[in-house]
Amino acid sequence: MRFRLTRVSGAGLVLFCLLLGAVQSYALQLNLTDSKGTCLFAKWEMNFTISYETTNKTHKTVTISEPSNVTYNGSSCGNDRNGTKIVVQFGSAISWEVNFTKEASYYFIDSILLSYNTSDSTTFPGAADKGSVPVNNSLQTVKFPLNNIYRCNSLLIFNTDSVVQRYWHIHLQAFVENGTVSKKEHVCEEDIPVTTVAPIIHTTVPSPTTTPTPTPTPTPTPKVGNYNVTNGNATCLLATMGLQLNITEEKVPFIFNINPATTDFTGKCLPQTAQLRLNNSQIKYLDFIFAVKSENRFYLKEVNVSMYLANGSAFSVSNNNLSFWDAPLGSSYMCNKEQVVSVSRTFQINTFNLKVQPFNVTEGKYSTAQECSLDDDTILIPIIVGAGLSGLIIVIVIAYLIGRRKSYAGYQTL
Ligand SMILES: *[C@@H]1O[C@H](CO)[C@@H](O)[C@H](O)[C@H]1NC(C)=O
Ligand SMILES: *[C@@H]1O[C@H](CO)[C@@H](O)[C@H](O)[C@H]1NC(C)=O
Ligand SMILES: *[C@@H]1O[C@H](CO)[C@@H](O)[C@H](O)[C@H]1NC(C)=O
Ligand SMILES: *[C@@H]1O[C@H](CO)[C@@H](O)[C@H](O)[C@H]1NC(C)=O
Ligand SMILES: *[C@@H]1O[C@H](CO)[C@@H](O)[C@H](O)[C@H]1NC(C)=O
Ligand SMILES: *[C@@H]1O[C@H](CO)[C@@H](O)[C@H](O)[C@H]1NC(C)=O
Ligand SMILES: *[C@@H]1O[C@H](CO)[C@@H](O)[C@H](O)[C@H]1NC(C)=O
Ligand SMILES: *[C@@H]1O[C@H](CO)[C@@H](O)[C@H](O)[C@H]1NC(C)=O
Ligand SMILES: *[C@@H]1O[C@H](CO)[C@@H](O)[C@H](O)[C@H]1NC(C)=O
């Protein structure tokens, strides 16, 4: 049982990669050579969302994904100790440089330097401050073992003040020895499906004498993420929640916790509707669409999802006829207890420590919350009152019976 499930998810990963490969065919690729053969190999995808100030004093964001005119000028294997770097130019507006340092048995990224030139008016229309802006970050904590090809299909996100850098489908080997890329893979932590496989691996293996009964594996509660959407400079949608997806296409439900650290999100705020979209390496999109009702209330009206299952096949569901998270406009909706948003027969979302406000957000803060009935303890009051009342009735009945007895007794003495 244990073995089978682990193996299936391994095959799933391969399929998953094949599928992704088919969906997204563009990738940056670099194969540097020296006299022995390959000395650096890299294949990856990246995009950047850059926010800049316009002459209007408003902020604009652009997402730069691979254009057709990519060049790798300046990339070098260096010598064995330094100067190893990958340099990429996206037209004249963007340059990206990453350099590596080798230690005894591993290497690391010394720095990632992204520069964007807001003077390029086709990429940055209406930019106020014209010129080149550098964004520097380092990744020295990640150690890449030598003579291994590092693989990371998951989305890695780095947020800095004005730029979101996203990297995914990474295959990398720097300091290649003897001219050939290693066949040994070093898979990043993010690619190891903790939530789906870990509970199975970590459960105590039943002793051989007992027949293994399919005990429900406890899924850990998901981490709570903040998914706030901005419109220009102002926050227009607030969402804080832990999300767990439950897909029951098969007999065994596929339970999947969303990790906020590796999940990207965007959204839209319109007067009558608001949308929050999450996506990561496994979820193509998970949309929450909120709407305004006539009685000055809002609610969760629609959920659309498209994702990859553990076996690699795609799964999509949409329902625009939902009615959850109902609260008055100008307030937020809150539910600390686990709540189930049933989207379809085969798809439900379990929410934890939920708080949302899709409309009328002022100063980026939550307004007073309307709490869900699950959190509400006042439901106990009718029970207590009811219990009290029935107690009272019993007392009255007993008193009455005793009274009757007494009066009987009275009659008898007469
Ligand atoms: C940027 O990358 C993310 C993550 O893969 C993807 O969801 C998004 O659609 C990309 N944006 C553009 C404009 O390509
Ligand atoms: C990169 O190199 C090519 C050929 O060497 C050259 O034509 C091109 O102008 C260079 N691009 C940049 C951005 O330096
Ligand atoms: C990497 O680049 C950064 C910034 O450009 C520089 O400070 C650092 O010395 C470089 N490191 C190596 C090992 O080349
Ligand atoms: C930025 O772009 C402008 C116009 O395209 C160019 O004149 C300028 O030299 C560029 N600056 C840098 C630092 O590349
Ligand atoms: C400046 O503001 C006007 C009106 O608000 C808008 O139409 C225009 O697109 C803005 N220009 C830029 C560069 O954002
Ligand atoms: C490269 O070749 C040397 C000498 O033949 C050998 O000792 C070393 O193990 C090789 N390295 C790898 C990674 O194959
Ligand atoms: C997943 O959904 C199935 C079917 O609706 C349900 O029986 C099961 O309890 C759910 N599991 C979790 C962890 O929500
Ligand atoms: C993956 O699982 C789903 C749900 O059980 C099933 O419908 C689909 O056929 C499976 N796909 C593959 C490729 O096994
Ligand atoms: C949700 O999915 C349905 C069906 O695919 C589509 O018609 C609808 O436009 C989607 N909603 C949004 C807000 O994208």
Side-chain angles (χ1 to χ4, degrees), residues 152-159 166-168 188-192 223 225 227 256-265 278-283:
C152 201
N153 282 316
S154 299
L155 182 63
L156 308 177
I157 302 172
F158 302 99
N159 272 300
R166 302 185 196 86
Y167 302 96
W168 69 102
C188 69
E189 254 175 55
E190 288 78 1
D191 276 7
I192 300 165
K223 289 209 185 78
Y227 308 105
F256 176 82
N257 282 351
I258 295 184
N259 179 1
T262 54
T263 300
D264 203 3
F265 58 94
L278 309 190
N279 76 297
N280 62 28
S281 56
Q282 190 147 19
I283 301 170

Side-chain angles (χ1 to χ4, degrees), residues 192-240:
I192 300 165
V194 182
T195 50
T196 52
V197 176
I200 297 153
I201 291 174
H202 292 171
T203 46
T204 47
V205 183
S207 65
T209 47
T210 59
T211 45
T213 45
T215 46
T217 48
T219 315
T221 49
K223 289 209 185 78
V224 174
N226 279 313
Y227 308 105
N228 297 346
V229 176
T230 54
N231 192 358
N233 229 358
T235 304
C236 60
L237 181 151
L238 295 167
T240 307

Side-chain angles (χ1 to χ4, degrees), residues 275 277 285 287 289 302-304 317-319:
Q275 180 184 358
R277 163 168 289 195
Y285 58 81
D287 288 349
I289 295 115
E302 186 173 354
V303 167
N304 276 2
V317 159
S318 66
N319 188 341

Side-chain angles (χ1 to χ4, degrees), residues 241-288:
M241 53 199 174
L243 294 169
Q244 183 176 72
L245 310 183
N246 179 357
I247 297 154
T248 40
E249 285 269 276
E250 281 187 333
K251 284 195 199 88
V252 181
F254 177 48
I255 314 275
F256 176 82
N257 282 351
I258 295 184
N259 179 1
T262 54
T263 300
D264 203 3
F265 58 94
T266 53
K268 278 202 283 265
C269 298
L270 298 171
Q272 297 294 312
T273 63
Q275 180 184 358
L276 170 66
R277 163 168 289 195
L278 309 190
N279 76 297
N280 62 28
S281 56
Q282 190 147 19
I283 301 170
K284 258 168 77 184
Y285 58 81
L286 171 59
D287 288 349
F288 295 89

